[in-house]
Amino acid sequence: EPEVTQTPSHQVTQMGQEVILRCVPISNHLYFYWYRQILGQKVEFLVSFYNNEISEKSEIFDDQFSVERPDGSNFTLKIRSTKLEDSAMYFCASSATRGGAAGELFFGEGSRLTVL
Amino acid sequence: GQQVMQIPQYQHVQEGEDFTTYCNSSTTLSNIQWYKQRPGGHPVFLIQLVKSGEVKKQKRLTFQFGEAKKNSSLHITATQTTDVGTYFCAGFTSGTYKYIFGTGTRLKVLA
């Protein structure tokens, strides 16, 4: 069964450092998302991406965050200058359609980011 | 902004008992999805509901979408230890590009 893959599974970084989280969505999917989950809490929307541009972003997704699809297969999330409160599990997801039939989100296993 | 709340936050049941989680959106939804997240895992899609008043069943799980398309429920009959995890609803509104996840209900099943 096709799956979304994410790397790294765990990243530890110092406050102020840049971090790039990588995702390979399912190959025929068109919509890509980043969500994050602080331990034990809800799954929070960060950003959605379609047709090589951001479709929608949340208030969390400020100027420190950026996304890119550099080569047609990878989908990356960059945090420019990490803060302690960025510590969370970051999930990448993809879907074939937007909201309608086949709009189910397929999630990767997540990248745990720890900011010290 | 749009909010999606779930109750209860936690539920402990004895194996064999029933379980229900309720999901309420502050805005009318186009559709709603349900996900299950096992401890230490990632959300896994269970089902999508689209029509007002829709009811769908998957074995021991029954999903319902409210008439006003602002609320939904998930009912599990005769829980098993394999049902342990957090259940999230996720609402989609036409014109947006995101699913907003509910606050989740964490289910523990005692054998």
Side-chain angles (χ1 to χ4, degrees):
Chain A
E1 184 171 309
E3 58 180 22
V4 175
T5 57
Q6 289 186 242
T7 54
S9 55
H10 190 190
Q11 173 126 22
V12 181
T13 190
Q14 294 290 330
M15 192 168 55
Q17 295 296 304
E18 176 182 285
V19 159
I20 297 176
L21 306 178
R22 291 182 168 80
C23 168
V24 179
I26 292 172
S27 61
N28 63 344
H29 283 185
L30 301 176
Y31 297 86
F32 314 118
Y33 312 82
W34 283 100
Y35 284 82
R36 79 173 185 189
Q37 185 177 37
I38 295 170
L39 188 63
Q41 298 186 26
K42 70 175 184 176
V43 179
E44 296 179 292
F45 170 76
L46 293 178
V47 66
S48 56
F49 192 87
Y50 168 71
N51 201 25
N52 279 321
E53 59 182 24
I54 290 175
S55 307
E56 191 163 353
K57 58 185 181 180
S58 71
E59 293 170 354
I60 303 168
F61 195 89
D62 61 22
D63 292 345
Q64 294 300 313
F65 291 86
S66 63
V67 288
E68 201 177 33
R69 191 158 158 79
D71 57 13
S73 62
N74 289 284
F75 179 50
T76 62
L77 174 69
K78 182 193 289 187
I79 308 175
R80 229 175 308 278
S81 177
T82 49
K83 307 187 203 69
L84 294 176
E85 54 265 36
D86 293 328
S87 294
M89 180 72 88
Y90 288 80
F91 289 109
C92 173
S94 68
S95 65
T97 66
R98 175 177 72 94
E104 65 188 86
L105 301 179
F106 289 79
F107 283 84
E109 295 194 352
S111 293
R112 179 166 295 286
L113 176 64
T114 302
V115 182
L116 303 176
Chain B
Q2 180 188 9
Q3 290 189 346
V4 181
M5 305 295 291
Q6 284 181 251
I7 55 170
Q9 191 176 359
Y10 302 97
Q11 182 89 59
H12 294 186
V13 298
Q14 290 288 335
E15 190 174 21
E17 291 182 339
D18 292 357
F19 160 77
T20 303
T21 172
Y22 299 92
C23 171
N24 289 285
S25 170
S26 58
T27 59
T28 303
L29 302 170
S30 300
N31 64 61
I32 196 158
Q33 296 178 346
W34 283 90
Y35 291 82
K36 177 182 179 181
Q37 184 178 29
R38 293 184 188 277
H42 58 281
V44 175
F45 175 81
L46 294 176
I47 209 158
Q48 175 167 287
L49 304 168
V50 178
K51 298 176 187 171
S52 168
E54 188 170 14
V55 178
K56 285 189 176 180
K57 293 193 176 187
Q58 284 180 351
K59 297 182 182 178
R60 295 179 294 104
L61 278 59
T62 301
F63 304 84
Q64 205 161 15
F65 201 9
E67 294 290 340
K69 300 185 78 172
K70 293 182 73 172
N71 55 68
S72 181
S73 64
L74 157 59
H75 179 82
I76 302 178
T77 304
T79 53
Q80 299 173 358
T81 54
T82 53
D83 295 325
V84 163
T86 302
Y87 292 85
F88 291 98
C89 61
F92 180 84
T93 304
S94 175
T96 70
Y97 287 83
K98 62 180 185 273
Y99 275 89
I100 297 294
F101 277 68
T103 46
T105 296
R106 186 179 300 176
L107 173 64
K108 285 193 174 179
V109 180
L110 307 171

